[in-house]
Amino acid sequence: MHSDKQILVAAKDVEARVRKALVDAGAIAAAADATTRALLHASMVGIDSHGVRLTEHYCKMMAGGRINKAPNITLRRTASSSAILDADNGLGHYSAYEAVKAGIEIAREHGVAGIGIEHSSHLGATGAYAIAGAEQGFVTFVTTNTDAMVALYDGAQRFHGTNPLAFAAPVPNARPWFLDMATSSIPMNRVLLHRSLDEPLPPGVAADQNGVETTNPHEAEMLLPLGGASYGFKGAGLAGVATLFSALLTGTTLDPNFIPMYGGDDISTPRNMGHFVMVIDPAKFVGAQAFGQAMLTYLSALRGAPAREGGGQIMAPGDREWAEAAHRAEHGVPIDPDTAVFLGYA
């Protein structure tokens, strides 16, 4: 979303300021680079809730001790195609990119790799890491569970996190096929963004403290699962998939047991977040060339499918994001007022 309360800033400039803020907060270079890369991805493709606006939060958490400024990331192989990466309570973006790298190495040999991540922290937009794998020629899946903020279907209290699922696949001579979705109707960071802009929420995405739907971002106490009042059981079920992979398989924290990302006085205790990365090498299945040709054929058919009368252009997953990234590369990245102040623009 873009509001007239935001300012537009050149991507290269905001990238430099974000990295400097992280380094000034004590982050080692590798962690600052990874986090900046992930935040800029989100801000470029239009996921402003998980973009550069989170820089201040991460700096605060490093200052408080919740996030390790200089983590010693280690990888423990558990079988030929699986491993556990210990993030040492560092920035989640750093551990996620490292897990994708490890997954690519394993998948090149064994076809499929599953990497569980333990002792991590918030990793921003999961799609950043799925794309990192796809850009190297691998089908990549990334997920995480988060602190409880989404009601169950017909529920009246928080249970699951927003629990995103991200998938990306390589496409010859083109940007990846790309799907990054929360299993809630929207992420909580979007509620916070709407609060900072003092703008109403769309209907059917959030509820007040009693579980009653609201469009007032200042009254929103929980999110609604994807699918809304009629089909929210689908989103609630998919949120459980993220928890299964990210927490149950890794032995990390269940959604209701997380220290909340925001609020409270404790910013020193690590949250022990879990994430999961799966990397698949098409060369070990149909073959890389055949897979690439199949993707081109599939996407051509998809984009060429007839649209309903009055409908818009048929798009593949990722088309909207890549168009937005191109637009923002030309016109600038929107920055909310609070972030503008923190990064020195106001």
Side-chain angles (χ1 to χ4, degrees):
M1 62 177 295
H2 175 53
S3 165
D4 57 9
K5 297 179 182 179
Q6 296 171 306
I7 64 171
L8 293 174
V9 182
K12 284 295 183 183
D13 187 71
V14 74
E15 179 179 11
R17 294 194 188 210
V18 167
R19 188 185 187 283
K20 183 179 185 302
L22 294 167
V23 171
D24 287 349
I28 59 173
D33 289 346
T35 303
T36 302
R37 178 184 175 188
L39 294 180
L40 261 292
H41 154 78
S43 285
M44 291 300 291
V45 301
I47 311 175
D48 296 312
S49 59
H50 284 56
V52 298
R53 66 173 297 274
L54 292 177
T55 308
E56 182 176 8
H57 171 77
Y58 298 138
C59 290
K60 180 180 179 181
M61 294 304 108
M62 284 190 285
R66 174 183 290 178
I67 295 178
N68 186 352
K69 302 172 185 177
N72 178 30
I73 290 179
T74 56
L75 186 76
R76 182 174 78 254
R77 291 289 292 272
T78 56
S80 60
S81 294
S82 61
I84 295 291
L85 185 146
D86 188 332
D88 194 24
N89 301 312
L91 286 157
H93 322 72
Y94 182 28
S95 64
Y97 278 124
E98 290 299 305
V100 172
K101 290 180 185 177
I104 287 172
E105 292 180 6
I106 294 172
R108 279 198 175 109
E109 182 177 357
H110 298 286
V112 178
I115 312 292
I117 304 174
E118 63 182 2
H119 303 133
S120 188
S121 64
H122 190 258
L123 50 56
T126 49
Y129 318 107
I131 288 171
E135 288 177 340
Q136 298 298 313
F138 295 81
V139 178
T140 307
F141 163 60
V142 182
T143 188
T144 185
N145 70 314
T146 62
D147 41 316
M149 58 186 69
V150 185
L152 294 170
Y153 180 61
D154 280 343
Q157 67 178 25
R158 300 179 176 199
F159 187 84
H160 283 129
T162 53
N163 294 10
L165 306 171
F167 305 83
V171 179
N173 303 312
R175 302 300 297 270
W177 178 99
F178 166 51
L179 174 66
D180 183 4
M181 54 171 278
T183 53
S184 57
S185 294
I186 58 171
M188 181 56 82
N189 276 318
R190 186 163 292 275
V191 173
L192 300 180
L193 178 61
H194 278 257
R195 284 180 187 171
S196 70
L197 300 173
D198 197 27
E199 295 183 352
L201 293 163
V205 301
D208 64 16
Q209 61 182 356
N210 299 312
V212 178
E213 181 185 327
T214 181
T215 60
N216 185 336
H218 304 287
E219 294 180 357
E221 292 294 330
M222 66 191 80
L223 302 173
L224 296 177
L226 185 67
S230 298
Y231 299 100
F233 56 87
K234 295 185 178 183
L238 288 172
V241 171
T243 298
L244 189 158
F245 278 95
S246 301
L248 302 180
L249 280 178
T250 62
T252 54
T253 309
L254 291 172
D255 310 29
N257 298 331
F258 273 118
I259 298 171
M261 182 173 176
Y262 298 104
D265 298 325
D266 182 3
I267 61 171
S268 62
T269 304
R271 302 174 73 214
N272 189 25
M273 294 193 75
H275 321 303
F276 191 85
V277 172
M278 180 178 291
V279 180
I280 301 170
D281 185 359
K284 302 299 189 296
F285 290 85
V286 70
Q289 184 174 355
F291 178 79
Q293 185 57 54
M295 285 295 297
L296 291 173
T297 301
Y298 165 64
L299 291 174
S300 177
L302 188 156
R303 294 183 179 116
R308 62 175 173 81
E309 184 176 353
Q313 179 182 355
I314 301 295
M315 293 187 290
D319 286 355
R320 189 185 307 275
E321 288 82 358
W322 302 136
E324 183 64 21
H327 176 82
R328 293 187 176 198
E330 180 179 357
H331 298 285
V333 176
I335 306 294
D336 67 89
D338 292 340
T339 303
V341 172
F342 179 74
L343 293 178
Y345 289 111

